[in-house]
Amino acid sequence: MAGSNKINITPPRWLLAELTYACPLQCPYCSNPLDYAKYPSELSTDDWKRVLSQARKMGAVQLGLSGGEPLVRRDLSELIRHARELGYYSNLITSGYGLTEERIVELRQAGLDHIQVSIQASTQELNDHIAGTTSYEHKREVAHLVKKHGYPMVLCVVIHRENIHQMQQILEMAEELGADYLELANTQYYGWAHANRDLLLPTQEQFEQAEAIAQAYKERVAGKMKIYYVVPDYYEDRPKACMNGWGTTFLTIAPDGVALPCHSARELPGLDCPNVNDYSIEEIWTESKAFNFFRGFDWMKEPCRSCDEKEKDFGGCRCQAYLLTGDMYNTDPVCSKSPNRHVVQEAIDSAKSASLAPGEKPLIFRNSKNSRDFA
Amino acid sequence: MTIDPDKNIRFSPTHRLQWEEAQQKDVILYPEGMVELNQSSAEILKLCDGNRKPQQIVDELERKFETTGLRNDIIAFLEVALKNGWIKQD
């Protein structure tokens, strides 16, 4: 296996607990695997408690409770209470769908620190279309309630070609709702987003225009609302420092207990990702093949191997290298030094011509029926 | 935003200051983020409890560490903390 040399292993700091793949929404850029319907089993309450305890002991402190939609887990409060007792800072990453005031209070009492609510657009029509459910008004109500009950309020809006023209209105909506943080997440093209890329990827002009609006707004609301801008890496010339380096910081546990170095790693071939039903978190983190696979720099090919920036971006994203070039050891093709940079340009061109073509093909919505077709 | 010498300082209710055993240091936790603190920063923030004005924090730390001349460094750090939203003045 790659990366078998002895490397100084740092402990995990972030634990992303994907509690379930079930979700009432059908967002066509969902980061869950396309074939998630193949993995219907879910860890029990006791399994999750054991995972939380073991990861905390190693040093994990930030806990993301995600999915799917984590609110569908009936034991959510119990898990949050356990996490709070262990000293985690817990973040609930939710669509807000079905979240009542009563439950917001209950989660607060259990020790939840923060609720991140996603909104798909600044208008009801577009939000409900993208989400595949009628949810806009309820999400706005949830945002008010989150604020009312003393949580820091984080709004997350995923940006793509269907809503990027609403950038100004999205910023105004976030300010009006009293968001403490606004995450403007340009779509990352994996999983469902990759399948829908021709319909979701904005043009460079659209990106630049939207980014300028966001930057100007950022200055205007400094000290009041923090804006996190997740860059669209197809339009960058250096890759993102994915996961802060493989197996250095982030640990994801999928609903069925599979431990992943990043939430897309399930798509990579031959990693044999271990399951928490078979191994402890410590064994998984320090000894498993999957978590050692891309640790350090020995696995790298050229141009990464001799690159003076390799310690900054770790060669970019392994999942993107695999998805776009078919070889997970390659330099992330977003990098302008990559001999495969042309595949990114081709994707940009393809999306642009799709946007100009009459009668666009429909989006593939994320639901179990479509997922079974990919399985 | 600058530090007002006449107002009490309190730690932000939407952030958490916590000792991390695994890291052997104090950290600030907030939505999806963490700041690791050195010892002196942590000592300052622990005194931001809503009952002290800036000068009282300086006096207390100078007494605790039996030294003088800390004022400029402490105020400079409090400015940074205020700008980052870690502390509040009402």
Side-chain angles (χ1 to χ4, degrees):
Chain A
M1 73 181 164
S4 58
N5 288 7
K6 276 285 162 216
I7 291 159
N8 178 33
I9 298 175
T10 54
R13 292 277 178 259
W14 285 73
L15 172 60
L16 179 66
E18 294 185 326
L19 297 178
T20 178
Y21 283 140
C23 186
L25 268 59
Q26 307 183 46
C27 305
Y29 44 74
C30 181
S31 64
N32 288 156
L34 284 166
D35 58 359
Y36 73 86
K38 259 192 346 205
Y39 314 106
S41 75
E42 288 187 6
L43 291 180
S44 69
T45 309
D46 286 343
D47 291 334
W48 277 117
K49 284 186 175 175
R50 184 184 70 244
V51 166
L52 294 177
S53 299
Q54 290 176 349
R56 178 66 186 140
K57 204 171 165 205
M58 289 190 74
V61 59
Q62 282 281 354
L63 172 65
L65 298 158
S66 167
E69 173 49 68
L71 289 171
V72 308
R73 286 282 301 214
R74 287 161 190 261
D75 55 0
L76 187 59
S77 288
E78 190 178 344
L79 296 178
I80 288 168
R81 191 168 298 112
H82 186 68
R84 186 66 190 88
E85 281 163 11
L86 293 167
Y88 278 105
Y89 187 92
S90 49
N91 306 272
L92 179 68
I93 300 160
T94 177
S95 68
Y97 194 84
L99 190 53
T100 60
E101 182 158 21
E102 195 185 351
R103 196 143 188 226
I104 288 173
V105 172
E106 180 196 317
L107 296 171
R108 186 80 178 152
Q109 284 165 351
L112 181 64
D113 290 288
H114 145 233
I115 299 180
Q116 182 199 94
V117 181
S118 67
I119 292 194
Q120 279 65 24
S122 64
T123 55
Q124 171 158 16
E125 190 186 4
L126 187 54
N127 177 88
D128 293 355
H129 167 63
I130 296 290
T133 52
T134 305
S135 52
Y136 180 73
E137 285 304 331
H138 179 63
K139 281 165 177 283
R140 289 180 59 99
E141 174 65 14
V142 165
H144 280 299
L145 291 171
V146 164
K147 192 86 185 153
K148 177 180 163 190
H149 289 284
Y151 293 97
M153 205 260 280
V154 183
L155 273 192
C156 176
V157 184
V158 176
I159 304 296
H160 46 78
R161 199 162 77 223
E162 296 218 9
N163 68 3
I164 196 166
H165 63 284
Q166 293 186 341
M167 183 58 80
Q168 181 70 29
Q169 291 87 335
I170 288 168
L171 289 154
E172 286 165 7
M173 171 183 73
E175 193 183 0
E176 181 218 318
L177 289 172
D180 298 293
Y181 303 81
L182 171 64
E183 189 171 319
L184 294 167
N186 277 288
T187 303
Q188 306 288 306
Y189 293 94
Y190 306 93
W192 296 85
H194 184 254
N196 286 306
R197 190 177 60 191
D198 272 351
L199 298 166
L200 294 176
L201 182 65
T203 64
Q204 178 140 23
E205 295 73 35
Q206 286 174 316
F207 268 134
E208 284 168 1
Q209 214 178 359
E211 191 172 9
I213 292 170
Q215 288 301 341
Y217 213 88
K218 200 171 179 171
E219 282 164 36
R220 202 170 76 63
V221 294
K224 194 169 143 202
M225 178 168 83
K226 276 193 189 143
I227 299 178
Y228 294 135
Y229 195 82
V230 180
V231 300
D233 61 353
Y234 279 36
Y235 291 104
E236 296 286 308
D237 64 0
R238 286 291 178 273
K240 57 191 173 226
C242 205
M243 308 318 287
N244 193 39
W246 186 273
T248 66
T249 313
F250 290 92
L251 169 63
T252 296
I253 308 294
D256 57 348
V258 169
L260 304 166
C262 93
H263 62 270
S264 295
R266 196 159 206 157
E267 294 166 29
L268 297 176
L271 254 58
D272 302 333
C273 290
N275 193 298
V276 298
N277 287 320
D278 305 319
Y279 304 97
S280 71
I281 296 298
E282 177 142 23
E283 289 169 316
I284 286 169
W285 186 260
T286 58
E287 293 165 28
S288 74
K289 176 181 169 185
F291 279 79
N292 282 294
F293 218 92
F294 295 113
R295 272 196 177 123
F297 304 97
D298 287 350
W299 58 270
M300 286 180 172
K301 303 207 296 190
E302 291 296 351
C304 288
R305 180 174 277 272
S306 59
C307 182
D308 61 4
E309 294 174 79
K310 69 180 173 190
E311 292 182 32
K312 206 164 83 186
D313 58 35
F314 317 105
C317 171
R318 296 304 86 222
C319 302
Q320 186 143 279
Y322 178 66
L323 201 55
L324 299 189
T325 77
D327 181 348
M328 62 182 175
Y329 294 92
N330 276 342
T331 299
D332 186 332
V334 155
C335 185
S336 62
K337 295 181 184 179
S338 162
N340 294 300
R341 171 73 209 189
H342 63 91
V343 299
V344 174
Q345 192 54 49
E346 283 156 21
I348 291 169
D349 295 344
S350 169
K352 191 169 183 175
S353 41
S355 76
L356 299 172
E360 281 190 90
K361 62 178 182 179
L363 285 165
I364 305 164
F365 285 93
R366 180 255 194 229
N367 55 44
S368 298
K369 183 186 166 295
N370 286 334
S371 179
R372 280 192 291 271
D373 291 342
F374 286 109
Chain B
M1 266 195 293
T2 50
I3 291 289
D4 184 333
D6 300 321
K7 283 184 180 165
N8 289 358
I9 302 178
R10 65 188 170 99
F11 193 76
S12 159
T14 56
H15 292 64
R16 201 203 294 170
L17 182 62
Q18 174 171 307
W19 171 255
E20 276 301 286
E21 193 61 31
Q23 300 179 60
Q24 289 292 303
K25 53 175 75 131
D26 286 285
V27 299
I28 299 172
L29 298 164
Y30 54 93
E32 295 176 53
M34 173 169 70
V35 176
E36 299 178 6
L37 298 169
N38 59 29
Q39 202 198 338
S40 49
S41 305
E43 294 286 348
I44 298 168
L45 290 174
K46 282 176 195 164
L47 294 179
C48 298
D49 58 2
N51 298 319
R52 293 180 176 86
K53 295 182 173 55
Q55 188 57 44
Q56 290 171 298
I57 292 173
V58 173
D59 292 344
E60 184 134 355
L61 288 172
E62 289 186 343
R63 201 161 45 238
K64 182 169 178 182
F65 294 101
E66 299 174 340
T67 185
T68 54
L70 297 181
R71 185 182 158 82
N72 286 353
D73 285 348
I74 291 174
I75 298 298
F77 175 74
L78 288 172
E79 299 278 1
V80 171
L82 185 68
K83 216 164 94 192
N84 282 300
W86 304 336
I87 56 173
K88 303 269 177 220
Q89 284 192 301
D90 299 311

